Amino acid sequence: MFKILDCTLRDGGYYTNWDFDTAQVDTYIQSLNRLPVEYIELGYRSHPMKAYHGKYFYCPVYELERIKKLSNKKLAVILNEKEVSAQNVGDLLQPCSGLVDLVRIAVTPQNLGNSLALAEKIKTVGFEVALNVMYMSKWPQQNNLPTNLKQLDGLADYFYMVDSYGGVYPEDVKQTIAMVREHTLCKIGFHGHNNLELALINTLSAIDNGADIVDATILGMGRGAGNLKTELLLSVLNTKHQLQVDFNALGNAVDCFEPLLQKHQWGTNVPYMISGTNSLPQKDVMDWVTTRLYSFNSIVRALQNQKNNISDNQKCELFKPQKQYSKVLIIGGGPSATSHADAVKQFISRFDDIALVHASSKNSASYKDLDVDQFYCLVGNEGDRLEKAFARAPFNGTCVLPPYPRKMGTYVPPFVSEKAFEVEKVTFTDKVTDSHAALALQTALELKPNEIFIIGYDGYAGGINETQMTLIQENEYLFGEFEKYAGIKLQSLTPTRYKKLNVSSVYTFI
Amino acid sequence: MFKILDCTLRDGGYYTNWDFDTAQVDTYIQSLNRLPVEYIELGYRSHPMKAYHGKYFYCPVYELERIKKLSNKKLAVILNEKEVSAQNVGDLLQPCSGLVDLVRIAVTPQNLGNSLALAEKIKTVGFEVALNVMYMSKWPQQNNLPTNLKQLDGLADYFYMVDSYGGVYPEDVKQTIAMVREHTLCKIGFHGHNNLELALINTLSAIDNGADIVDATILGMGRGAGNLKTELLLSVLNTKHQLQVDFNALGNAVDCFEPLLQKHQWGTNVPYMISGTNSLPQKDVMDWVTTRLYSFNSIVRALQNQKNNISDNQKCELFKPQKQYSKVLIIGGGPSATSHADAVKQFISRFDDIALVHASSKNSASYKDLDVDQFYCLVGNEGDRLEKAFARAPFNGTCVLPPYPRKMGTYVPPFVSEKAFEVEKVTFTDKVTDSHAALALQTALELKPNEIFIIGYDGYAGGINETQMTLIQENEYLFGEFEKYAGIKLQSLTPTRYKKLNVSSVYTFI
């Protein structure tokens, strides 16, 4: 009979930064005590890292001891092969002796050979060892895999096939198991991802073809599109293999992660499907999807570029404006740029060499009838926005894009294709080069003004989300760097909460 | 090459009562114009029904005309065989002539024979016809299926296998197609449900085994656990069958249903998984899951009873109290029953033959130290609640359950098993017999009091959800019926918004 390993805390930690509520962990552990699961993987063991990661990224001994008392299951932790060497793995694992039963090593197929010494060292410390070899859909391109597989016998307890991209089919699982079996007698494990909702059927295929252990997580909680759902596997095995399942315990385990699902909303979606079907890396996709900063179509475009192995599919002419302007007015996306539009237009009309730079096209409709030179920054979704704003009006402006290649690809609406240019470089900072403010400031810089005014950078009164908070901090940083670099003060004519802007009122000019 | 039919509006209507925002429908239709889908099924055509169903349950001709102009796809509608006869189908369909291309008939395997005359009549009116035969996982028990299949040739355009329970596996699809093919040359369709996340792999199995048409819906929107997701099918076919997919159009289609997914949260969960693995009807499950009135474990219990083909698995002794009380105090779950507890206890202490009836155990902790007879109603989750309330205190009360059999099964905490009884019947109404108020009032009635007081029925100030609204209306109804039947006024001693209760203040009695 095959075994089941539940790795909800370890894999779910990608959404919570490996912090979980203690009461929640206890309910989870106690519920699993009543379910037919062999191992619980609690998290990583890791050397200190610079970013913040929580309790289950380090699995401190006091927590392992606490859970050991609560649980009647075997406990597992995982290591990243690239961050741990055979030399220092003893320091990391010795303290877990007697608490942890199984140590898993996450390793790329390329590094499988190197990881064998690590596995051997871990065995000597006294643990069971599993090698979780990633990127299964790309194994056919790994020539040295058979050689490495032959060395596993008597060394590792489990050889795991990890469908990192969530893109394999049941038939692939069958064939890969046959291939692995040709070279080693090591027990075989399978860890499936759910990008294409194939985690269950792939896992059943693994079981049917002799896998000895399979992974699952409650509600499928896990990086990106997530994993096979423990509740789905157990429900199916209950009827298919007459496995005894205490559905009350299962229900309690599910209930305790439900609030996290509501909050983080993991699960598959079109970006994850595309990365699954094309074996594309998912770390970026997860960042893009979870910050909700990019439109769905931007993500799809970026993925299509990755799929075609190009960093961007469109190069524009460089933005080298012939004309100079003594004054530039940057127009942000905040509501004040439209609510004060009458005054701002009066202000604009007082100068004969002023240019407008639209950081966002949000307020562009309020200014489209003006007879001055206008520049539109196309970052993120602004191409779509511009298209809508000028659906029924002639477009006489110039479009400016961030430097090539653009991480999320390029969308230039067809009607402005003759009027679209890209800046060569964002010169005043290296840190943030594809934001609205960075591009607007760089565009302003290229127009060589003596004075720069700003409207529509209102800031937020509070009640903001993480994305908005990040944006505020980024903008403050950019305003500061720009003033230092260009020696031009940024003067806001409408109310703003940005501390780095110098504020005056548009009404003092008219 | 097989065809794809998208039935988002038809099947999604189970969540929206077949009303959709017009702008949303237009975006959907326009997005599908750019996608490799052959048919769009818009909804039902139906004779008038007594309950309210919206636009896409009737598909009025003006709407069909409007969509016909917008769409470059073939349009389909569906009929329920049990509600339409060959005699009157002409009235229903004649007006759709020239607008609708395909008419589908949803039919049970038992009624397939009867539906052939209906199919014939629809063909004569000039439509393509599909027979959507339900409950595929139970077909092996249908002896007359082969005979009926033989009659399809030249009559129906498509014979659809519908996995109503979402419980079949790819191998079942393969075998069923082979069986169907033995008896008819009719084109074969497949409609998969996603209870076990097998809709994609089952559909791919259907395609690999020669299916001519398959169904999908955007975001899987559809009854219960939902369907195969159109975006998943197209993403997979894009790499697996080199099908051209405009991912921008697909993204727009998905975006436009995303708010409905947030609102209705369809998709699979443990109750749907259990009904899938055991081929249990899902209408009840959908009601239970969507109202969120029942705990997860109650639903699982009810499903386990259904699976074992019993209406309930526990019969208790009848509640026949020996003692009578001149006064009964019913305690509801509202906060006032605890916030005024001191006064209420003073009130209780004035009488020597008063009994307390806890409609909910929510406030029971505030009264557990009293030396009076107390009765606890066990409806819904109250068993769990009672268990928690008395986890650390002795229990001297009596438990009362609704009449046997109980729709959601029975949970009696072990520590009260000797003290649990069921009422024989709710005598004062036939309509609502398993609610907290109904059981509390019936319990009070059995104690034969002259006066009944109520506390903790506070009502709601507003900002309530549908479940709470239903509860209020139900309670008002029960209070009215009870007073008529029993001739006893219900007197609330704490503030209440219920109109049918007579209100006085607990402070006037002490």
Side-chain angles (χ1 to χ4, degrees), chain A residues 27-38:
Chain A
T27 306
Y28 162 71
I29 296 287
Q30 283 157 346
S31 306
L32 259 69
N33 281 344
R34 294 157 59 195
L35 292 171
V37 162
E38 184 86 8

Side-chain angles (χ1 to χ4, degrees), chain A residues 27-142:
Chain A
T27 306
Y28 162 71
I29 296 287
Q30 283 157 346
S31 306
L32 259 69
N33 281 344
R34 294 157 59 195
L35 292 171
V37 162
E38 184 86 8
Y39 294 94
I40 297 179
E41 187 171 74
L42 294 172
Y44 287 87
R45 279 291 282 187
S46 175
H47 294 299
M49 290 179 82
K50 280 190 177 161
Y52 178 81
H53 296 311
K55 193 192 272 181
Y56 301 93
F57 193 77
Y58 294 104
C59 287
V61 169
Y62 74 90
E63 180 67 7
L64 291 174
E65 283 169 344
R66 201 181 71 82
I67 291 188
K68 181 78 182 167
K69 279 187 205 126
L70 272 181
S71 177
N72 62 21
K73 303 294 177 185
K74 290 186 178 178
L75 301 184
V77 295
I78 197 166
L79 313 172
N80 278 322
E81 179 272 340
K82 64 177 179 202
E83 285 148 19
V84 180
S85 68
Q87 288 72 53
N88 57 22
V89 72
D91 303 343
L92 212 50
L93 291 183
Q94 201 74 62
C96 312
S97 189
L99 299 170
V100 163
D101 301 277
L102 168 68
V103 175
R104 308 208 293 178
I105 305 170
V107 58
T108 63
Q110 295 86 339
N111 286 3
L112 176 57
N114 305 336
S115 72
L116 298 178
L118 183 58
E120 203 167 358
K121 183 65 200 286
I122 297 171
K123 284 295 289 182
T124 16
V125 189
F127 301 99
E128 295 180 282
V129 172
L131 289 158
N132 281 34
V133 185
M134 301 185 274
Y135 314 128
M136 180 182 156
S137 55
K138 294 201 163 172
W139 289 2
Q141 291 133 54
Q142 298 296 325

Side-chain angles (χ1 to χ4, degrees), chain A residues 169 194 197 229 251 296-297, chain B residues 169 194 197 229 236 248 251 296:
Chain A
Y169 291 86
N194 211 28
E197 297 189 347
K229 298 173 175 70
F296 175 84
N297 281 350
Chain B
Y169 291 85
N194 212 29
E197 297 188 347
K229 298 174 174 70
V236 162
N248 283 339
F296 176 82

Side-chain angles (χ1 to χ4, degrees), chain B residues 108-230:
Chain B
T108 62
Q110 295 86 338
N111 286 2
L112 177 57
N114 304 335
S115 74
L116 298 177
L118 183 59
E120 202 167 0
K121 183 63 200 289
I122 297 171
K123 285 296 288 183
T124 21
V125 190
F127 300 100
E128 295 179 281
V129 172
L131 288 158
N132 281 35
V133 186
M134 301 185 273
Y135 313 127
M136 182 182 156
S137 55
K138 295 203 162 171
W139 289 2
Q141 290 132 55
Q142 297 296 325
N143 295 329
N144 57 351
L145 196 62
T147 322
N148 289 324
L149 285 171
K150 284 194 211 321
Q151 298 179 57
L152 294 179
D153 292 348
L155 178 62
D157 295 278
Y158 300 104
F159 171 84
Y160 256 93
M161 318 191 312
V162 181
D163 176 19
S164 306
Y165 301 115
V168 305
Y169 291 85
E171 186 59 28
D172 301 322
V173 174
K174 181 180 173 180
Q175 286 174 11
T176 309
I177 288 185
M179 183 276 288
V180 172
R181 216 10 108 239
E182 263 180 46
H183 303 293
T184 177
L185 292 168
C186 185
K187 286 182 185 161
I188 294 177
F190 179 73
H191 179 100
H193 287 160
N194 212 29
N195 298 53
L196 308 181
E197 297 188 347
L198 294 173
L200 173 68
I201 197 74
N202 285 337
T203 301
L204 294 177
S205 173
I207 291 170
D208 288 347
N209 288 287
D212 301 282
I213 189 164
V214 296
D215 285 8
T217 62
I218 301 293
L219 284 165
M221 188 176 195
R223 194 176 198 173
N227 304 311
L228 170 59
K229 298 174 174 70
T230 305

Side-chain angles (χ1 to χ4, degrees), chain A residues 49-349:
Chain A
M49 290 179 82
K50 280 190 177 161
Y52 178 81
H53 296 311
K55 193 192 272 181
Y56 301 93
F57 193 77
Y58 294 104
C59 287
V61 169
Y62 74 90
E63 180 67 7
L64 291 174
E65 283 169 344
R66 201 181 71 82
I67 291 188
K68 181 78 182 167
K69 279 187 205 126
L70 272 181
S71 177
N72 62 21
K73 303 294 177 185
K74 290 186 178 178
L75 301 184
V77 295
I78 197 166
L79 313 172
N80 278 322
E81 179 272 340
K82 64 177 179 202
E83 285 148 19
V84 180
S85 68
Q87 288 72 53
N88 57 22
V89 72
D91 303 343
L92 212 50
L93 291 183
Q94 201 74 62
C96 312
S97 189
L99 299 170
V100 163
D101 301 277
L102 168 68
V103 175
R104 308 208 293 178
I105 305 170
V107 58
T108 63
Q110 295 86 339
N111 286 3
L112 176 57
N114 305 336
S115 72
L116 298 178
L118 183 58
E120 203 167 358
K121 183 65 200 286
I122 297 171
K123 284 295 289 182
T124 16
V125 189
F127 301 99
E128 295 180 282
V129 172
L131 289 158
N132 281 34
V133 185
M134 301 185 274
Y135 314 128
M136 180 182 156
S137 55
K138 294 201 163 172
W139 289 2
Q141 291 133 54
Q142 298 296 325
N143 296 329
N144 56 352
L145 195 61
T147 321
N148 289 324
L149 284 172
K150 284 194 212 321
Q151 299 180 59
L152 294 180
D153 291 347
L155 178 62
D157 296 276
Y158 301 105
F159 171 83
Y160 255 94
M161 319 192 310
V162 181
D163 177 19
S164 306
Y165 300 115
V168 305
Y169 291 86
E171 187 58 28
D172 301 323
V173 175
K174 180 180 173 178
Q175 287 174 11
T176 309
I177 288 185
M179 182 277 286
V180 173
R181 209 21 102 236
E182 263 181 46
H183 303 293
T184 177
L185 291 169
C186 186
K187 285 183 186 161
I188 294 178
F190 179 73
H191 178 100
H193 287 159
N194 211 28
N195 297 55
L196 308 182
E197 297 189 347
L198 294 173
L200 173 68
I201 197 74
N202 285 337
T203 301
L204 293 178
S205 173
I207 290 170
D208 288 346
N209 289 285
D212 301 281
I213 188 164
V214 296
D215 286 7
T217 62
I218 300 293
L219 283 166
M221 189 176 194
R223 193 175 197 172
N227 305 311
L228 170 59
K229 298 173 175 70
T230 305
E231 65 275 20
L232 180 57
L233 179 65
L234 294 184
S235 297
V236 162
L237 294 178
N238 174 248
T239 51
K240 221 178 159 65
H241 288 247
Q242 286 71 52
L243 188 73
Q244 281 296 319
V245 175
D246 177 338
F247 281 98
N248 283 338
L250 185 59
N252 292 340
V254 168
D255 279 353
C256 99
F257 287 95
E258 191 67 51
L260 287 177
L261 176 60
Q262 291 303 322
K263 182 172 176 196
H264 298 287
Q265 309 214 350
W266 62 84
T268 197
N269 57 36
V270 183
Y272 288 127
M273 291 171 193
I274 295 177
S275 38
T277 53
N278 296 287
S279 289
L280 302 172
Q282 310 197 43
K283 194 186 164 304
D284 280 353
V285 184
M286 185 170 159
D287 288 347
W288 299 336
V289 167
T290 51
T291 61
R292 290 164 219 271
L293 200 58
Y294 297 104
S295 76
F296 175 84
N297 281 350
S298 306
I299 298 175
V300 168
R301 198 160 51 234
L303 286 171
Q304 281 175 321
N305 288 343
Q306 279 191 21
K307 176 180 156 183
N308 299 324
N309 218 1
I310 49 176
S311 50
D312 191 2
N313 53 16
Q314 196 171 332
K315 183 118 184 57
C316 304
E317 254 184 80
L318 285 184
F319 181 55
K320 295 284 177 203
Q322 297 307 309
K323 208 174 150 188
Q324 289 192 20
Y325 302 83
S326 72
K327 291 174 179 60
V328 163
L329 173 67
I330 295 177
I331 304 177
S336 73
T338 286
S339 59
H340 296 282
D342 287 346
V344 175
K345 286 183 191 176
Q346 289 287 334
F347 168 81
I348 293 167
S349 69

